[in-house]
Amino acid sequence: MYLTMWEEKALNGEFGEALALAMKVIVKVGEALGADRLITISHAHVSGISVHNIGVEGVELIESIARKGGKVRVYTTANPCSLAYLQKLRNVYGEEIYSLQHRLVEALIAMGVDAKSFTCTPYVLRRPSMGEHLAWSESSAVIYANSVIGARSNREAGFIALMAAISGRTYYAGLHDDENRIPQLLIDVEFRVNSIALASALGLYLGAICSEIPFIRIRFDAPSMLRQIMIKSMLASIATTSDLGMVYLDGITPDIHRIRIDIQSLERISVDMNDVKNYMESCHANVLFIGCPHLTVSEIKTLLGSETVVHQLKALNIEKILIATPKLTENFESELYRSIGVRLVKHGIEFELLPGVCPVVSDLRKAGLSAVMTIHGKAAHYMPRVAGVKACLVNVL
Ligand code: F3S
């Protein structure tokens, strides 16, 4: 692999142990993938930071890199933590896991990770520009960056993204290269997508049938903010049931003009409502989870701001609604409680904001839950496998 003089020196340890380790990892992964050079990145995003997944050994590894002087060279964000991070659940998860999750966060912040991040929507904090090279490791964020923003990132493992952050480099391969961004399949969605749950179910189905990048012709039937949540949730669902890091969405993906291809010449698959309805099993739970990927304050207001929604939730016997968000300032939290929470509570529905955390990567049985309804395909898919509770998609909101 060709390396610049600076990269050679960094690899040989001239700038410290942590940077040498980071360069070694990035070079090795690049060589394994056939890359002939490294490229600089402008933003890294590190996932896999829930203590339930990473364990004591993972935390100690990250701490040891911080102790060796590991510092990020580019703007770096991190994924949400486990619920064990929250002070209000300290007794529920226990002191040991609470302090382990805090040690991990502190080690990341000591290396220069943005303390305001801890979200799976890093593009809300810093929206990359089209064509920008990134090293992101949250699958829902990667597919959004490539498909909606036109930036470039492979689906990295969390540790590789951290090594990219420290070296400021990634390998030139995969989705960084135009050659690997060519759609191979044409998908025609034959119905209008008019709810988040339907967008999610469609995403799970599309991920299951596509092993190569598809060009998707699709119509969303919703006002713009709702449409945005549908797209986020659909893309996250596609990335859940596939290894895809990007798709083309007709009229949305901005850099289609770079790809010279006759769309009509691609193998065509048409998708109708019957194909996706299996993903919308009927089930019941009195807890509803929203925010997978995380929802912004405006998105929460759009989803829960009307009286009709309260009646819908009552009709489904929802007693509690859990909402995962990026870290919020106290002002935003209290504003949401005032504008939405108070009304829900008046109708007997508990309203709980979960800033900076992800229930899907947390042991929810410890929090007393056994079943959860959601509007998001990724959450419905992973909650039984990772959080240990039953979960299903419900067409509400
Ligand atoms: Fe985000 Fe957790 Fe879903 S990280 S995309 S809320 S699984």
Side-chain angles (χ1 to χ4, degrees), residues 16 48 65 72 76 84 106 110 173 210 241 276 290 292 298 335 349 374 397:
I65 296 170
V72 302
T76 303
E106 276 153 31
C210 295
T241 46
V276 302
I290 63 172
C292 176
S298 333
E335 194 212 322
I349 302 168
T374 181
L397 307 182

Side-chain angles (χ1 to χ4, degrees), residues 79-80 120 138 140 291-293 358 360 378:
N79 236 27
C120 42
E138 159 57 41
S140 67
C292 176
C358 164
V360 183
K378 181 171 179 181

